Amino acid sequence: METFFIKALQLILSLSILVIVHEFGHFFFARVFKIKVEKFYLFFDIGFSLFKFKPKNSDTEYGIGWLPLGGYVKIAGMIDESMDKEQMKQPEQPWEFRSKPTWQRLLVMIGGVLFNIILAIFIYSMILFSWGDSYISFKDVSRGMEFSQVAKDAGFQDGDKIISADGRELKYHMDKTLDINTLMKFANAKEVVIERNGELQTVIMPLDFADKMIGSKKMAYEMKIPPVVDSVLVGSIAQKSGLIKGDSIISVNGKAVESFAGIRKNIGENLNSEVAISYYRGDSLYSTTAIVDSSGVLGFTSIPLTAICQLRHDDIGFFASFPAGVNLAKETLQGYIAQFRFVFTKEGLSNLSGFGGIGSMFPATWDWQAFWFMTAFLSVILAVMNILPIPMLDGGHVMFLLYEMITRRKPNEKFQEYAQVAGMVFIFALLIYANGNDLFKAIFK
């Protein structure tokens, strides 16, 4: 329960920062162009608000709503989620959104996305300046990799060492959001150079490799970690079976294992049954049995990667951190866009996650470095999602403005109202589906 609250608190704090920065982007450009902003809210205040105040001599009411699904700024003279039709029936005023030139309205609408990208760059820069860059180069993985069936079909073999993908060195980071970038570089590469039996070879990647990888719901690769027990949880199945730190497992149910992934695979094939485990303790061979439950978790961990691979660390100075932050934000953006094309496929929809899935990506203990990495990653996601050409989202407004710039006439206001409603229905349906997906996985998986 404590873990749940720590993750939930991190999620709420992260999303609050992102929403405030996003909405401030709209607010900033609106005020630059002297457009009246009537409300600036964190969360939605449907019916009532938890807190609100309006400074003296200010046109803007600031507040916190009760529905934690984002936030908004209510800009005068604009068809938005407030659906204020009465205001739109009145004559245009010079301080309204609709009275301003198209280019100014366009900047107001992309302001949120722009500020989210700027925030991601700033956070990444400060992370690199504060903590540097720690990673394990794939070419330093002495035992090589183990590959999924999709990767094997593409020409990879267990034990191959990945040297580069399209000429770029691949790095393993302890932060999972950065590993998504690395995975997508690998999956979308045209060719991958590997070392096999001491010789360099080139694997030409199939054009549909990324599609098949996503559809398989399995990582294309994982590092080949020796099947050695590092720690055993108190009261776990492993402890009851007599396993201790340092035991080297050689087989599960008679099947030889050469890596920690091999143990996991063989255990997964014997859920809800008794399995025989053979292992070395020092120079002596032992065997034991374990009753595997439906989770397949025995309760012991593998030795850390740093015990078998060189952990590299690059210190990054203050001024150098900004171009490095730009590059990291760019890679994150490219990686997410590369994944995004799978969202509305059958496989993508089954993997779609809501707040529960996002919250699970935060660490179980409070770690500021991990928190800021995740916040920067979510800032990029928020930027991409909001620029989609869907009414209600910023991209929907941009779509109408681009139409106006091309045709030299404004879209019909009634049509925009209907489109806004349709967009709201679609977005809320997507939210319900994504969060329902989380609930289904939590109950049945």
Side-chain angles (χ1 to χ4, degrees):
M1 186 60 70
E2 181 182 357
T3 297
F4 170 81
F5 283 117
I6 290 174
K7 290 191 173 189
L9 184 59
Q10 289 180 89
L11 175 65
I12 293 170
L13 177 59
S14 179
L15 291 182
S16 297
I17 292 170
L18 298 180
V19 169
I20 290 172
V21 169
H22 180 90
E23 299 306 331
F24 181 76
H26 297 307
F27 178 86
F28 173 80
F29 283 105
R31 299 309 299 139
V32 165
F33 300 128
K34 300 186 182 341
I35 301 172
K36 183 178 178 181
V37 180
E38 298 175 351
K39 284 187 173 184
F40 188 134
Y41 264 71
L42 172 64
F43 306 150
F44 292 101
D45 60 327
I46 301 173
F48 67 95
S49 59
L50 300 178
F51 168 79
K52 64 180 178 181
F53 78 100
K54 188 174 184 179
K56 188 177 181 181
N57 301 322
S58 173
D59 295 322
T60 308
E61 175 184 293
Y62 301 89
I64 300 175
W66 62 272
L67 186 60
L69 295 178
Y72 72 99
V73 288
K74 187 177 184 305
I75 299 174
M78 174 183 168
I79 298 175
D80 59 11
E81 57 268 24
S82 68
M83 299 302 291
D84 190 349
K85 299 179 182 180
E86 293 303 316
Q87 185 183 71
M88 300 304 293
K89 292 177 182 179
Q90 305 302 317
E92 285 188 12
Q93 301 298 324
W95 36 262
E96 286 188 325
F97 177 82
R98 55 181 167 168
S99 69
K100 299 298 180 179
T102 311
W103 67 272
Q104 292 185 4
R105 286 180 280 141
L106 185 62
L107 282 174
V108 171
M109 292 320 306
I110 66 174
V113 169
L114 178 62
F115 270 55
N116 276 132
I117 295 297
I118 292 173
L119 176 65
I121 291 172
F122 178 75
I123 292 176
Y124 279 138
S125 299
M126 292 300 98
I127 289 174
L128 293 173
F129 171 64
S130 300
W131 286 284
D133 185 20
S134 296
Y135 61 91
I136 294 171
S137 176
F138 276 27
K139 62 185 180 183
D140 289 338
V141 181
S142 58
R143 296 169 61 90
M145 299 284 192
E146 290 187 293
F147 296 90
S148 68
Q149 189 58 52
V150 170
K152 288 179 179 178
D153 291 341
F156 295 93
Q157 296 180 12
D158 288 342
D160 287 348
K161 186 185 297 185
I162 299 173
I163 304 301
S164 64
D166 285 344
R168 295 181 295 182
E169 177 187 5
L170 297 184
K171 301 176 180 179
Y172 172 82
H173 292 83
M174 302 307 171
D175 180 79
K176 64 181 70 176
T177 65
L178 297 186
D179 277 337
I180 293 174
N181 298 348
T182 301
L183 176 62
M184 295 314 297
K185 285 180 190 176
F186 173 83
N188 289 302
K190 294 180 180 178
E191 58 180 46
V192 175
V193 176
I194 61 170
E195 181 183 316
R196 181 180 296 167
N197 300 323
E199 296 182 357
L200 295 182
Q201 298 183 27
T202 299
V203 176
I204 305 301
M205 301 291 279
L207 294 177
D208 60 350
F209 180 81
D211 300 63
K212 289 183 177 179
M213 183 190 75
I214 296 293
S216 72
K217 299 183 182 180
K218 294 182 179 180
M219 281 288 290
Y221 54 74
E222 60 180 301
M223 296 188 182
K224 199 170 183 180
I225 302 174
V228 177
V229 177
D230 183 62
S231 62
V232 179
L233 297 177
V234 176
S236 66
I237 297 172
Q239 186 186 53
K240 294 174 182 177
S241 298
L243 294 175
I244 63 173
K245 179 181 176 68
D247 288 346
S248 180
I249 297 174
I250 60 170
S251 70
V252 175
N253 259 12
K255 290 186 178 181
V257 293
E258 298 180 351
S259 67
F260 196 76
I263 298 174
R264 191 166 58 245
K265 178 184 177 183
N266 288 355
I267 291 295
E269 294 173 351
N270 294 278
L271 300 180
N272 300 310
S273 61
E274 184 178 76
V275 297
I277 300 174
S278 297
Y279 60 95
Y280 273 102
R281 181 175 297 169
D283 296 326
S284 301
L285 179 63
Y286 295 88
S287 63
T288 185
T289 57
I291 305 296
V292 181
D293 61 20
S294 59
S295 71
V297 176
L298 294 187
F300 65 88
T301 62
S302 65
I303 60 175
L305 282 172
T306 51
I308 58 172
C309 304
Q310 180 183 357
L311 180 65
R312 299 178 183 271
H313 180 83
D314 298 332
D315 288 319
I316 300 175
F318 180 75
F319 293 107
S321 70
F322 288 99
V326 170
N327 186 58
L328 193 48
K330 177 185 173 184
E331 289 184 355
T332 304
L333 181 62
Q334 290 173 335
Y336 186 70
I337 291 175
Q339 297 176 71
F340 192 77
R341 70 178 188 269
F342 303 107
V343 168
F344 295 107
T345 64
K346 180 181 177 181
E347 293 79 11
L349 284 172
S350 66
N351 288 323
L352 197 63
S353 293
F355 295 114
I358 297 172
S360 67
M361 296 179 70
F362 284 93
T365 57
W366 199 283
D367 181 326
W368 281 112
Q369 184 180 8
F371 170 82
W372 288 118
F373 260 126
M374 190 63 193
T375 300
F377 178 65
L378 291 177
S379 194
V380 171
I381 291 178
L382 186 60
V384 173
M385 294 297 293
N386 265 282
I387 205 62
L388 294 177
I390 300 172
M392 183 184 171
L393 299 179
D394 298 341
H397 294 288
V398 169
M399 178 176 62
F400 288 131
L401 288 168
L402 291 176
Y403 169 85
E404 183 180 339
M405 293 175 75
I406 294 170
T407 63
R408 303 291 181 180
R409 67 170 184 264
K410 292 184 177 183
N412 181 275
E413 287 188 0
K414 187 61 68 174
F415 174 77
Q416 289 188 68
E417 288 178 8
Y418 290 142
Q420 190 76 7
V421 171
M424 290 173 68
V425 171
F426 175 76
I427 294 300
F428 281 113
L430 201 60
L431 280 171
I432 292 171
Y433 177 84
N435 286 285
N437 230 3
D438 287 344
L439 187 61
F440 178 84
K441 291 175 183 176
I443 295 174
F444 297 104
K445 296 184 179 181

